[in-house]
Amino acid sequence: MSDLRDFLKEIEDDVVRIREPLSTRYEVAAALHRWDGSKVVAVDRVKETGTRLVGNVCGTRRNILKALKVEPEKLYPRLIEATKNPVKCGGGDGPVKEVVEKGSLKDIPVLTHFKGDPGPYITSGIVYVRSHDGSMENVSFHRLLVLDERRMAIRIVPRHLYRLTQMAKKEGVTSLDVSVSIGLHPTVMLAGAMTAPFGVSEYDVVNNLLGGKLKLTECEHVEALAPADAELVLEGRLMLDKQVTEGPFVDLSGTFDVQRQQPIIELVGIMHREDYIYQAILPAGSEHKLMMGMPQEPRIWEYVRGVVPNVRGVNLTTGGMGWLHCVVSFEKVRDGDPKNVLMAIFAAHPSLKHAVVVDSDIDPYEMEQVEWAIATRFRGDEDLLVVPNVRVSSLDPASDQEHELGCKVGVDATRPLYKDPEKFRKAEIHVSDELRKILDKY
Ligand SMILES: Cc1cc2nc3c(=O)[nH]c(=O)nc-3n(C[C@H](O)[C@H](O)[C@H](O)COP(=O)(O)O)c2cc1C
């Protein structure tokens, strides 16, 4: 099974290595921001702790596809197949147990990213939990605000982990054991961002993607599992009867999210490799947006395929924060197809605000091409779908964030079939083999 270190070797040419020590306060965040969406950043030494750090690992689609070892056109069917067929992970110890200690959060290089942050935030932590009766599991990303040496505030959006906490509370249980894993191979990271059926561990979904090679180890201080190849694991107790103020955190939109009362995790112990690499995800950076959006794309793809047979690609764009904007490229058969496709997209991803559909000659991941399609194939009076007063994302500052109510707009940027296709064809420059050889030399 390959780990974060193996992957970093694989993408060596895409890594910017910084040899000067950088501080956890703004300096590392500034470096991650400098190469956001382009390069992985490796810092040899963090000033405050002397530890190594890496960030932006999944900051490009290219890196994620490389890690998964799948061709782009096979990605969605592969992720859907894995979600439907989780494979139980094997057990056993691994390098994460090189050091097992009581530990302290002050010894970990947790970053303060933005002016106005309430404190240092762990942003790459994947939380594993078992239900109070041990019958169910869940794995998901959660940001953690470090409060002091032993306590963190955890943001829990009402999804599967929230449901497990509600079930436990109902039975009078006051805490759940958790592991928070940091420093993982990108494929394992996906476990934190994918959604398996309620109760199923996303580590088992990822284990399918890894051909059954993902090994989980029992934590030393709590009743929880964690990847044996992780760099660092925080072992904690999620307290169900204590809440603190969490935030304001800079979320996907790049704006400050509101403050909320959220539960606490108390640190019980730490396991880590001797020379562990701390992994960071820049809030509102490309990696944050891609890891949020990409795991939703297979569902949109599946819904759209229920309406039209040939779908070239789905892009929850990073400009739309990986969450609010979607482009779908498909082969149009009838003039009525695009609006049905738009409705399928909105049904598949209820947080979405704007969707654009384009013909299959347009690459949905090339926004210059998408804008060209809007410029040349869209008419506002005929090709617009407006859905007022509908559920949207709580992350959109232009909407009613409290009630998650807003407006969805669909743009049909496909060419009308009743018009001569030649009018919409992009002119090409002929390039002979001989000329190509000459040009390729430069
Ligand atoms: C980098 C990153 C950070 C995230 N932070 C949070 C968070 O703080 N709280 C939260 O509830 N979800 C967060 N999410 C989203 C969930 O982890 C994600 O939707 C996950 O699939 C939910 O798991 P579930 O379907 O098992 O509930 C984050 C996702 C990513 C990629």
Side-chain angles (χ1 to χ4, degrees), residues 37-327:
S38 58
K39 295 273 185 192
V40 174
V41 174
V43 179
D44 277 1
R45 204 163 75 79
V46 174
K47 265 182 200 164
E48 288 81 355
T49 55
T51 34
R52 285 196 284 165
L53 180 148
V54 71
N56 294 356
V57 175
C58 296
T60 59
R61 259 174 208 273
R62 188 181 62 245
N63 280 2
I64 299 174
L65 289 169
K66 206 173 215 173
L68 284 165
K69 295 187 170 48
V70 286
E71 295 303 317
E73 61 279 7
K74 303 259 171 67
L75 177 67
Y76 302 148
R78 185 73 188 91
L79 292 180
I80 290 169
E81 191 273 326
T83 308
K84 288 182 180 159
N85 301 290
V87 176
K88 210 80 212 128
C89 293
D93 290 344
V96 75
K97 287 202 171 165
E98 282 170 9
V99 178
V100 176
E101 58 186 7
K102 188 163 174 266
S104 159
L105 293 168
K106 81 167 173 4
D107 296 329
I108 296 168
V110 186
L111 304 183
T112 304
H113 306 90
F114 298 93
K115 261 195 222 160
D117 277 355
Y121 260 106
I122 295 171
T123 51
S124 62
I126 292 181
V127 175
Y128 167 95
V129 66
R130 282 195 190 105
S131 58
H132 64 283
D133 61 1
S135 67
M136 288 187 259
E137 298 169 286
N138 194 65
V139 179
S140 43
F141 271 106
H142 294 270
R143 67 189 188 228
L144 301 161
L145 171 62
V146 174
L147 300 170
D148 54 41
E149 284 184 30
R150 310 214 68 78
R151 295 180 320 141
M152 298 163 275
I154 176 171
R155 166 71 176 133
I156 306 180
V157 178
R159 286 193 277 249
H160 289 171
L161 174 58
Y162 182 80
R163 247 170 101 181
L164 291 175
T165 62
Q166 295 308 102
M167 284 165 54
K169 270 176 152 175
K170 227 172 168 180
E171 295 302 315
V173 176
T174 54
S175 72
L176 289 172
D177 284 6
V178 293
S179 68
V180 180
S181 301
I182 297 168
L184 301 164
H185 186 274
T187 309
V188 184
M189 282 171 78
L190 271 182
M194 290 176 77
T195 292
F198 181 59
V200 173
S201 166
E202 282 84 357
Y203 280 142
D204 294 343
V205 171
V206 159
N207 191 32
N208 174 319
L209 296 172
L210 291 167
K213 292 194 182 125
L214 180 60
K215 193 163 73 172
L216 299 179
T217 191
E218 280 289 350
C219 287
E220 290 290 322
H221 299 92
V222 295
E223 296 284 323
L225 297 171
D229 286 319
E231 293 288 327
L232 168 73
V233 172
L234 309 177
E235 305 169 82
R237 229 150 251 142
L238 171 56
M239 309 307 292
L240 305 177
D241 52 356
K242 289 183 196 165
Q243 291 208 324
V244 285
T245 303
E246 187 273 334
F249 175 79
V250 173
D251 215 326
L252 281 178
S253 57
T255 58
F256 283 96
D257 194 5
V258 297
Q259 288 185 315
R260 298 180 184 83
Q261 290 302 301
Q262 292 288 288
I264 287 175
I265 291 182
E266 285 179 4
L267 184 73
V268 183
I270 299 183
M271 311 190 294
H272 62 84
R273 294 184 187 219
E274 202 103 45
D275 58 344
Y276 75 84
I277 306 173
Y278 181 79
Q279 189 173 5
I281 294 178
L282 179 69
S286 286
E287 182 172 28
H288 190 187
K289 292 166 188 169
L290 276 169
M291 291 301 278
M292 278 297 287
M294 217 168 149
Q296 311 301 322
E297 289 172 0
R299 194 176 56 252
I300 297 174
W301 179 79
E302 215 177 19
Y303 273 51
V304 173
R305 281 198 353 136
V307 178
V308 287
N310 294 322
V311 185
R312 174 170 172 183
V314 177
N315 181 10
L316 278 162
T317 68
T318 48
M321 56 200 242
W323 206 242
L324 299 190
H325 283 182
C326 183
V327 179

